[in-house]
mmCIF file of all heavy atoms in Angstrom:
data_model
loop_
_atom_site.group_PDB
_atom_site.id
_atom_site.type_symbol
_atom_site.label_atom_id
_atom_site.label_comp_id
_atom_site.label_asym_id
_atom_site.label_seq_id
_atom_site.Cartn_x
_atom_site.Cartn_y
_atom_site.Cartn_z
ATOM 1 N N LEU A 81 32.209 21.878 8.735
ATOM 2 C CA LEU A 81 33.027 20.667 8.906
ATOM 3 C C LEU A 81 32.503 19.776 10.021
ATOM 4 O O LEU A 81 33.133 18.769 10.362
ATOM 5 C CB LEU A 81 34.480 21.055 9.207
ATOM 6 C CG LEU A 81 35.191 21.818 8.088
ATOM 7 C CD1 LEU A 81 36.576 22.241 8.524
ATOM 8 C CD2 LEU A 81 35.280 20.962 6.838
ATOM 9 N N GLY A 82 31.354 20.128 10.613
ATOM 10 C CA GLY A 82 30.831 19.356 11.739
ATOM 11 C C GLY A 82 31.287 19.985 13.046
ATOM 12 O O GLY A 82 32.125 20.880 13.063
ATOM 13 N N LEU A 83 30.719 19.458 14.156
ATOM 14 C CA LEU A 83 30.896 20.136 15.440
ATOM 15 C C LEU A 83 32.015 19.564 16.297
ATOM 16 O O LEU A 83 32.418 20.172 17.272
ATOM 17 C CB LEU A 83 29.572 20.114 16.215
ATOM 18 C CG LEU A 83 28.389 20.744 15.466
ATOM 19 C CD1 LEU A 83 27.120 20.625 16.302
ATOM 20 C CD2 LEU A 83 28.673 22.206 15.114
ATOM 21 N N ASP A 84 32.499 18.368 15.958
ATOM 22 C CA ASP A 84 33.614 17.785 16.730
ATOM 23 C C ASP A 84 34.442 16.905 15.794
ATOM 24 O O ASP A 84 34.126 16.778 14.609
ATOM 25 C CB ASP A 84 33.094 17.003 17.942
ATOM 26 C CG ASP A 84 32.111 15.903 17.553
ATOM 27 O OD1 ASP A 84 32.202 15.400 16.411
ATOM 28 O OD2 ASP A 84 31.264 15.536 18.374
ATOM 29 N N ASN A 85 35.485 16.269 16.353
ATOM 30 C CA ASN A 85 36.386 15.471 15.514
ATOM 31 C C ASN A 85 35.671 14.298 14.843
ATOM 32 O O ASN A 85 36.011 13.919 13.719
ATOM 33 C CB ASN A 85 37.549 14.926 16.347
ATOM 34 C CG ASN A 85 38.566 16.007 16.613
ATOM 35 O OD1 ASN A 85 38.449 17.124 16.090
ATOM 36 N ND2 ASN A 85 39.565 15.700 17.409
ATOM 37 N N LYS A 86 34.690 13.728 15.541
ATOM 38 C CA LYS A 86 33.980 12.587 14.955
ATOM 39 C C LYS A 86 33.170 13.039 13.742
ATOM 40 O O LYS A 86 33.197 12.408 12.685
ATOM 41 C CB LYS A 86 33.084 11.932 16.005
ATOM 42 C CG LYS A 86 33.909 11.146 17.005
ATOM 43 C CD LYS A 86 33.080 10.490 18.082
ATOM 44 C CE LYS A 86 34.029 9.740 19.007
ATOM 45 N NZ LYS A 86 33.519 9.609 20.351
ATOM 46 N N GLN A 87 32.469 14.158 13.920
ATOM 47 C CA GLN A 87 31.703 14.679 12.778
ATOM 48 C C GLN A 87 32.643 15.096 11.649
ATOM 49 O O GLN A 87 32.365 14.850 10.472
ATOM 50 C CB GLN A 87 30.831 15.866 13.217
ATOM 51 C CG GLN A 87 29.666 15.430 14.093
ATOM 52 C CD GLN A 87 28.601 16.502 14.254
ATOM 53 O OE1 GLN A 87 28.701 17.602 13.731
ATOM 54 N NE2 GLN A 87 27.561 16.176 14.992
ATOM 55 N N HIS A 88 33.770 15.689 12.031
ATOM 56 C CA HIS A 88 34.758 16.103 11.022
ATOM 57 C C HIS A 88 35.225 14.890 10.218
ATOM 58 O O HIS A 88 35.326 14.925 8.991
ATOM 59 C CB HIS A 88 35.934 16.796 11.723
ATOM 60 C CG HIS A 88 36.853 17.518 10.799
ATOM 61 N ND1 HIS A 88 37.611 18.591 11.175
ATOM 62 C CD2 HIS A 88 37.162 17.320 9.500
ATOM 63 C CE1 HIS A 88 38.329 19.024 10.144
ATOM 64 N NE2 HIS A 88 38.075 18.255 9.120
ATOM 65 N N GLY A 89 35.473 13.790 10.926
ATOM 66 C CA GLY A 89 35.883 12.558 10.244
ATOM 67 C C GLY A 89 34.815 12.071 9.280
ATOM 68 O O GLY A 89 35.114 11.637 8.162
ATOM 69 N N LEU A 90 33.554 12.154 9.708
ATOM 70 C CA LEU A 90 32.470 11.671 8.842
ATOM 71 C C LEU A 90 32.253 12.598 7.644
ATOM 72 O O LEU A 90 31.883 12.140 6.557
ATOM 73 C CB LEU A 90 31.176 11.521 9.657
ATOM 74 C CG LEU A 90 31.224 10.419 10.723
ATOM 75 C CD1 LEU A 90 29.948 10.404 11.560
ATOM 76 C CD2 LEU A 90 31.456 9.042 10.091
ATOM 77 N N VAL A 91 32.507 13.894 7.860
ATOM 78 C CA VAL A 91 32.404 14.833 6.725
ATOM 79 C C VAL A 91 33.464 14.473 5.679
ATOM 80 O O VAL A 91 33.196 14.458 4.475
ATOM 81 C CB VAL A 91 32.542 16.300 7.209
ATOM 82 C CG1 VAL A 91 32.699 17.258 6.038
ATOM 83 C CG2 VAL A 91 31.318 16.699 8.042
ATOM 84 N N GLN A 92 34.652 14.129 6.159
ATOM 85 C CA GLN A 92 35.703 13.696 5.224
ATOM 86 C C GLN A 92 35.315 12.380 4.562
ATOM 87 O O GLN A 92 35.517 12.186 3.364
ATOM 88 C CB GLN A 92 37.028 13.510 5.956
ATOM 89 C CG GLN A 92 37.601 14.795 6.476
ATOM 90 C CD GLN A 92 39.095 14.664 6.698
ATOM 91 O OE1 GLN A 92 39.807 14.182 5.843
ATOM 92 N NE2 GLN A 92 39.559 15.107 7.850
ATOM 93 N N GLN A 93 34.771 11.461 5.368
ATOM 94 C CA GLN A 93 34.369 10.156 4.831
ATOM 95 C C GLN A 93 33.425 10.321 3.632
ATOM 96 O O GLN A 93 33.651 9.778 2.555
ATOM 97 C CB GLN A 93 33.662 9.360 5.930
ATOM 98 C CG GLN A 93 32.952 8.102 5.423
ATOM 99 C CD GLN A 93 31.969 7.575 6.458
ATOM 100 O OE1 GLN A 93 32.376 7.001 7.451
ATOM 101 N NE2 GLN A 93 30.680 7.752 6.217
ATOM 102 N N TRP A 94 32.359 11.109 3.813
ATOM 103 C CA TRP A 94 31.375 11.251 2.738
ATOM 104 C C TRP A 94 31.943 12.028 1.549
ATOM 105 O O TRP A 94 31.612 11.759 0.395
ATOM 106 C CB TRP A 94 30.086 11.912 3.259
ATOM 107 C CG TRP A 94 29.255 10.951 4.056
ATOM 108 C CD1 TRP A 94 29.002 10.988 5.388
ATOM 109 C CD2 TRP A 94 28.591 9.771 3.556
ATOM 110 N NE1 TRP A 94 28.232 9.923 5.764
ATOM 111 C CE2 TRP A 94 27.959 9.159 4.655
ATOM 112 C CE3 TRP A 94 28.477 9.181 2.299
ATOM 113 C CZ2 TRP A 94 27.223 7.989 4.527
ATOM 114 C CZ3 TRP A 94 27.739 8.011 2.166
ATOM 115 C CH2 TRP A 94 27.119 7.429 3.276
ATOM 116 N N SER A 95 32.811 12.983 1.833
ATOM 117 C CA SER A 95 33.407 13.768 0.732
ATOM 118 C C SER A 95 34.324 12.872 -0.098
ATOM 119 O O SER A 95 34.284 12.901 -1.333
ATOM 120 C CB SER A 95 34.201 14.950 1.298
ATOM 121 O OG SER A 95 33.352 15.785 2.066
ATOM 122 N N LEU A 96 35.143 12.054 0.590
ATOM 123 C CA LEU A 96 36.073 11.166 -0.124
ATOM 124 C C LEU A 96 35.319 10.035 -0.818
ATOM 125 O O LEU A 96 35.649 9.648 -1.939
ATOM 126 C CB LEU A 96 37.136 10.614 0.838
ATOM 127 C CG LEU A 96 38.087 11.680 1.376
ATOM 128 C CD1 LEU A 96 38.992 11.107 2.463
ATOM 129 C CD2 LEU A 96 38.939 12.260 0.254
ATOM 130 N N TRP A 97 34.301 9.520 -0.160
ATOM 131 C CA TRP A 97 33.464 8.487 -0.788
ATOM 132 C C TRP A 97 32.842 9.051 -2.068
ATOM 133 O O TRP A 97 32.823 8.389 -3.115
ATOM 134 C CB TRP A 97 32.371 8.047 0.202
ATOM 135 C CG TRP A 97 31.378 7.077 -0.368
ATOM 136 C CD1 TRP A 97 31.512 5.731 -0.464
ATOM 137 C CD2 TRP A 97 30.090 7.393 -0.915
ATOM 138 N NE1 TRP A 97 30.386 5.185 -1.046
ATOM 139 C CE2 TRP A 97 29.505 6.175 -1.328
ATOM 140 C CE3 TRP A 97 29.366 8.581 -1.097
ATOM 141 C CZ2 TRP A 97 28.231 6.114 -1.916
ATOM 142 C CZ3 TRP A 97 28.107 8.521 -1.682
ATOM 143 C CH2 TRP A 97 27.548 7.297 -2.081
ATOM 144 N N GLY A 98 32.365 10.267 -1.974
ATOM 145 C CA GLY A 98 31.730 10.889 -3.149
ATOM 146 C C GLY A 98 32.689 10.974 -4.319
ATOM 147 O O GLY A 98 32.380 10.539 -5.434
ATOM 148 N N ILE A 99 33.884 11.495 -4.061
ATOM 149 C CA ILE A 99 34.815 11.769 -5.170
ATOM 150 C C ILE A 99 35.486 10.483 -5.666
ATOM 151 O O ILE A 99 35.781 10.351 -6.851
ATOM 152 C CB ILE A 99 35.850 12.842 -4.753
ATOM 153 C CG1 ILE A 99 36.538 13.462 -5.987
ATOM 154 C CG2 ILE A 99 36.871 12.354 -3.782
ATOM 155 C CD1 ILE A 99 35.935 14.727 -6.425
ATOM 156 N N THR A 100 35.713 9.496 -4.757
ATOM 157 C CA THR A 100 36.453 8.301 -5.212
ATOM 158 C C THR A 100 35.532 7.146 -5.614
ATOM 159 O O THR A 100 35.914 6.319 -6.429
ATOM 160 C CB THR A 100 37.425 7.770 -4.120
ATOM 161 O OG1 THR A 100 36.657 7.402 -2.971
ATOM 162 C CG2 THR A 100 38.462 8.808 -3.737
ATOM 163 N N GLU A 101 34.347 7.074 -5.026
ATOM 164 C CA GLU A 101 33.455 5.931 -5.322
ATOM 165 C C GLU A 101 32.294 6.315 -6.234
ATOM 166 O O GLU A 101 32.046 5.669 -7.236
ATOM 167 C CB GLU A 101 32.884 5.349 -4.007
ATOM 168 C CG GLU A 101 33.933 4.879 -3.010
ATOM 169 C CD GLU A 101 34.646 3.606 -3.446
ATOM 170 O OE1 GLU A 101 34.068 2.798 -4.195
ATOM 171 O OE2 GLU A 101 35.817 3.427 -3.047
ATOM 172 N N LEU A 102 31.583 7.366 -5.838
ATOM 173 C CA LEU A 102 30.357 7.694 -6.577
ATOM 174 C C LEU A 102 30.638 8.474 -7.867
ATOM 175 O O LEU A 102 29.990 8.250 -8.890
ATOM 176 C CB LEU A 102 29.424 8.512 -5.659
ATOM 177 C CG LEU A 102 28.056 8.871 -6.226
ATOM 178 C CD1 LEU A 102 27.263 7.602 -6.561
ATOM 179 C CD2 LEU A 102 27.260 9.720 -5.233
ATOM 180 N N GLN A 103 31.614 9.379 -7.803
ATOM 181 C CA GLN A 103 31.827 10.245 -8.977
ATOM 182 C C GLN A 103 32.317 9.488 -10.219
ATOM 183 O O GLN A 103 31.831 9.781 -11.318
ATOM 184 C CB GLN A 103 32.793 11.393 -8.643
ATOM 185 C CG GLN A 103 33.062 12.286 -9.857
ATOM 186 C CD GLN A 103 33.611 13.637 -9.517
ATOM 187 O OE1 GLN A 103 32.890 14.469 -8.995
ATOM 188 N NE2 GLN A 103 34.874 13.859 -9.819
#
Side-chain angles (χ1 to χ4, degrees):
L81 297 176
L83 303 178
D84 57 27
N85 283 354
K86 286 179 180 153
Q87 289 194 359
H88 193 153
L90 293 176
V91 169
Q92 293 202 48
Q93 168 196 286
W94 284 112
S95 301
L96 293 172
W97 175 84
I99 198 97
T100 61
E101 302 289 333
L102 184 61
Q103 178 161 288

